[in-house]
Amino acid sequence: GDGCSNVANPIHTYLEPGEYTVTLTASDQYGCSDTVTKQQYVVVVPACDIKADFIADPTTGSAPLKVQFTDTSTGNPTMWKWDFGDGAMPMDVACSGGGCDNIANPYHTYLDPGTYTVTLTASDQYGCSDTVTKKEFIVVVPACDINADFVAEPLSGDAPLKVQFTDKSTGGATM
Protein backbone atom coordinates (compact mmCIF):
# COMPACT_ATOMS: atom_id res chain seq x y z
CA GLY A 1 0.00 0.00 0.00
CA ASP A 2 2.89 2.41 0.51
CA GLY A 3 6.00 0.60 -0.72
CA CYS A 4 7.45 -2.42 -2.47
CA SER A 5 9.47 -5.49 -1.53
CA ASN A 6 11.03 -8.46 -3.33
CA VAL A 7 11.25 -10.53 -0.14
CA ALA A 8 8.96 -13.52 0.48
CA ASN A 9 8.16 -12.61 4.10
CA PRO A 10 8.84 -8.88 4.53
CA ILE A 11 8.36 -6.78 7.62
CA HIS A 12 6.96 -3.35 6.78
CA THR A 13 6.45 -0.34 9.05
CA TYR A 14 3.51 1.94 8.23
CA LEU A 15 4.32 5.46 9.39
CA GLU A 16 0.99 7.19 8.79
CA PRO A 17 -2.55 6.33 9.93
CA GLY A 18 -4.80 4.99 7.19
CA GLU A 19 -6.24 1.94 5.48
CA TYR A 20 -3.79 0.15 3.22
CA THR A 21 -4.46 -2.20 0.32
CA VAL A 22 -1.83 -4.93 -0.02
CA THR A 23 -0.97 -6.72 -3.26
CA LEU A 24 1.23 -9.82 -3.59
CA THR A 25 2.51 -11.12 -6.90
CA ALA A 26 4.15 -14.52 -6.56
CA SER A 27 6.16 -15.91 -9.47
CA ASP A 28 8.66 -18.65 -10.27
CA GLN A 29 11.72 -18.89 -12.49
CA TYR A 30 9.61 -20.15 -15.42
CA GLY A 31 7.51 -16.97 -15.66
CA CYS A 32 4.44 -18.42 -13.98
CA SER A 33 2.80 -15.93 -11.60
CA ASP A 34 -0.37 -15.07 -9.72
CA THR A 35 -1.49 -11.87 -8.01
CA VAL A 36 -3.81 -11.34 -5.06
CA THR A 37 -4.97 -7.93 -3.79
CA LYS A 38 -6.60 -7.43 -0.39
CA GLN A 39 -8.42 -4.13 -0.09
CA GLN A 40 -8.03 -2.13 3.14
CA TYR A 41 -6.12 -5.10 4.55
CA VAL A 42 -3.96 -3.17 7.03
CA VAL A 43 -5.54 -0.45 9.19
CA VAL A 44 -3.20 1.90 11.06
CA VAL A 45 -4.89 4.11 13.67
CA PRO A 46 -3.40 7.32 15.04
CA ALA A 47 -1.36 7.15 18.24
CA CYS A 48 -3.50 7.66 21.33
CA ASP A 49 -2.80 11.20 22.47
CA ILE A 50 -6.11 12.23 24.05
CA LYS A 51 -5.79 14.06 27.36
CA ALA A 52 -9.20 14.75 28.92
CA ASP A 53 -9.82 18.10 30.61
CA PHE A 54 -12.61 20.63 31.10
CA ILE A 55 -13.55 23.92 32.70
CA ALA A 56 -16.87 25.13 34.08
CA ASP A 57 -18.57 28.45 34.77
CA PRO A 58 -19.71 29.11 37.41
CA THR A 59 -18.28 26.58 39.86
CA THR A 60 -20.00 28.04 42.93
CA GLY A 61 -23.46 29.49 43.45
CA SER A 62 -26.90 29.02 44.88
CA ALA A 63 -29.43 26.39 43.86
CA PRO A 64 -30.62 25.99 41.22
CA LEU A 65 -27.15 26.50 39.71
CA LYS A 66 -26.87 26.38 35.90
CA VAL A 67 -23.29 25.48 34.92
CA GLN A 68 -21.72 25.63 31.44
CA PHE A 69 -19.13 22.86 31.04
CA THR A 70 -16.52 23.31 28.30
CA ASP A 71 -14.36 20.49 26.99
CA THR A 72 -10.68 21.53 26.82
CA SER A 73 -9.35 18.05 26.02
CA THR A 74 -6.42 17.70 23.65
CA GLY A 75 -5.82 15.02 21.00
CA ASN A 76 -9.03 15.62 19.01
CA PRO A 77 -11.67 13.61 20.88
CA THR A 78 -14.94 13.03 19.04
CA MET A 79 -17.00 11.52 21.88
CA TRP A 80 -17.66 12.64 25.47
CA LYS A 81 -19.24 11.01 28.51
CA TRP A 82 -20.01 13.24 31.49
CA ASP A 83 -20.78 12.36 35.09
CA PHE A 84 -21.93 15.51 36.90
CA GLY A 85 -21.86 13.89 40.33
CA ASP A 86 -25.58 14.16 41.02
CA GLY A 87 -26.82 11.19 38.99
CA ALA A 88 -28.56 13.37 36.41
CA MET A 89 -28.14 13.75 32.66
CA PRO A 90 -27.11 17.13 31.17
CA MET A 91 -29.99 19.57 31.10
CA ASP A 92 -30.77 22.49 28.80
CA VAL A 93 -29.31 20.82 25.71
CA ALA A 94 -30.89 19.16 22.71
CA CYS A 95 -30.67 15.43 23.44
CA SER A 96 -31.22 12.80 20.78
CA GLY A 97 -32.69 9.31 21.20
CA GLY A 98 -29.36 8.02 22.55
CA GLY A 99 -29.34 10.47 25.43
CA CYS A 100 -26.96 13.31 26.15
CA ASP A 101 -23.67 11.48 26.60
CA ASN A 102 -22.02 12.70 23.41
CA ILE A 103 -21.97 16.46 24.00
CA ALA A 104 -18.65 18.32 24.19
CA ASN A 105 -19.91 21.46 25.97
CA PRO A 106 -23.13 20.75 27.89
CA TYR A 107 -25.05 22.86 30.35
CA HIS A 108 -26.08 21.18 33.58
CA THR A 109 -28.36 22.52 36.29
CA TYR A 110 -27.72 21.44 39.88
CA LEU A 111 -30.99 21.50 41.78
CA ASP A 112 -29.81 20.62 45.29
CA PRO A 113 -27.20 22.21 47.55
CA GLY A 114 -24.03 20.14 47.92
CA THR A 115 -20.47 19.61 46.72
CA TYR A 116 -20.16 17.70 43.46
CA THR A 117 -17.35 15.74 41.82
CA VAL A 118 -17.38 15.88 38.00
CA THR A 119 -15.88 13.29 35.64
CA LEU A 120 -15.30 13.51 31.88
CA THR A 121 -14.23 10.67 29.59
CA ALA A 122 -13.10 11.93 26.19
CA SER A 123 -12.53 9.42 23.39
CA ASP A 124 -12.25 9.04 19.64
CA GLN A 125 -13.57 6.65 16.99
CA TYR A 126 -10.44 4.47 17.29
CA GLY A 127 -11.09 3.55 20.94
CA CYS A 128 -8.51 5.93 22.38
CA SER A 129 -9.76 7.59 25.58
CA ASP A 130 -8.77 9.42 28.73
CA THR A 131 -10.70 10.28 31.90
CA VAL A 132 -10.34 13.21 34.27
CA THR A 133 -12.11 13.56 37.63
CA LYS A 134 -12.29 16.87 39.50
CA LYS A 135 -13.22 16.26 43.13
CA GLU A 136 -15.44 18.77 44.94
CA PHE A 137 -15.44 20.86 41.75
CA ILE A 138 -18.96 22.32 41.93
CA VAL A 139 -20.26 23.85 45.17
CA VAL A 140 -23.98 24.60 45.36
CA VAL A 141 -25.28 26.55 48.37
CA PRO A 142 -28.92 26.88 49.45
CA ALA A 143 -30.93 29.45 47.54
CA CYS A 144 -30.88 32.87 49.14
CA ASP A 145 -34.41 33.71 50.20
CA ILE A 146 -33.63 36.55 52.61
CA ASN A 147 -35.67 39.70 52.07
CA ALA A 148 -34.47 42.65 54.13
CA ASP A 149 -37.12 44.94 55.63
CA PHE A 150 -37.58 47.10 58.69
CA VAL A 151 -39.91 49.62 60.29
CA ALA A 152 -39.13 52.57 62.55
CA GLU A 153 -41.11 54.65 65.04
CA PRO A 154 -41.36 57.58 65.29
CA LEU A 155 -40.40 58.69 61.78
CA SER A 156 -40.17 62.37 62.63
CA GLY A 157 -39.86 64.64 65.65
CA ASP A 158 -37.78 67.26 67.42
CA ALA A 159 -34.06 66.79 68.07
CA PRO A 160 -32.78 64.81 69.82
CA LEU A 161 -35.09 62.19 68.27
CA LYS A 162 -34.97 58.69 69.72
CA VAL A 163 -36.13 56.15 67.05
CA GLN A 164 -36.85 52.45 67.59
CA PHE A 165 -35.91 50.32 64.52
CA THR A 166 -37.48 46.85 64.18
CA ASP A 167 -36.15 44.18 61.79
CA LYS A 168 -38.93 42.72 59.62
CA SER A 169 -36.61 40.67 57.35
CA THR A 170 -37.78 37.25 56.19
CA GLY A 171 -35.93 34.13 55.14
CA GLY A 172 -33.90 33.34 58.25
CA ALA A 173 -31.48 36.29 58.41
CA THR A 174 -29.06 35.94 61.34
CA MET A 175 -27.09 39.18 61.03
Side-chain angles (χ1 to χ4, degrees), residues 19 34 40 110 115 125 131 140-141 143 152 160 163-164:
E19 295 180 354
D34 188 34
Q40 301 170 339
Y110 290 89
T115 301
Q125 66 272 26
T131 300
V140 182
V141 297
V163 178
Q164 173 67 50

Side-chain angles (χ1 to χ4, degrees), residues 23 26 34 42 45 82 84 107 124 127 142 150 155 158 167 169:
T23 300
D34 188 34
V42 175
V45 298
W82 294 91
F84 297 105
Y107 282 100
D124 66 17
F150 66 92
L155 298 177
D158 295 332
D167 177 29
S169 300

Side-chain angles (χ1 to χ4, degrees), residues 71-86:
D71 172 53
T72 59
S73 301
T74 58
N76 301 313
T78 56
M79 295 174 277
W80 302 267
K81 181 164 181 58
W82 294 91
D83 181 343
F84 297 105
D86 64 353

Side-chain angles (χ1 to χ4, degrees), residues 40-87:
Q40 301 170 339
Y41 190 64
V42 175
V43 178
V44 180
V45 298
C48 186
D49 61 353
I50 291 178
K51 177 70 175 153
D53 202 4
F54 63 90
I55 57 173
D57 185 47
T59 57
T60 303
S62 60
L65 181 65
K66 184 177 181 178
V67 178
Q68 168 69 64
F69 289 91
T70 303
D71 172 53
T72 59
S73 301
T74 58
N76 301 313
T78 56
M79 295 174 277
W80 302 267
K81 181 164 181 58
W82 294 91
D83 181 343
F84 297 105
D86 64 353

Side-chain angles (χ1 to χ4, degrees), residues 6 8 17 35 47 70 86 90 103 117 132 139 160:
N6 287 327
T35 300
T70 303
D86 64 353
I103 297 171
T117 296
V132 62
V139 178

Side-chain angles (χ1 to χ4, degrees), residues 138-154:
I138 303 294
V139 178
V140 182
V141 297
C144 182
D145 60 355
I146 295 176
N147 292 306
D149 196 11
F150 66 92
V151 294
E153 191 169 315

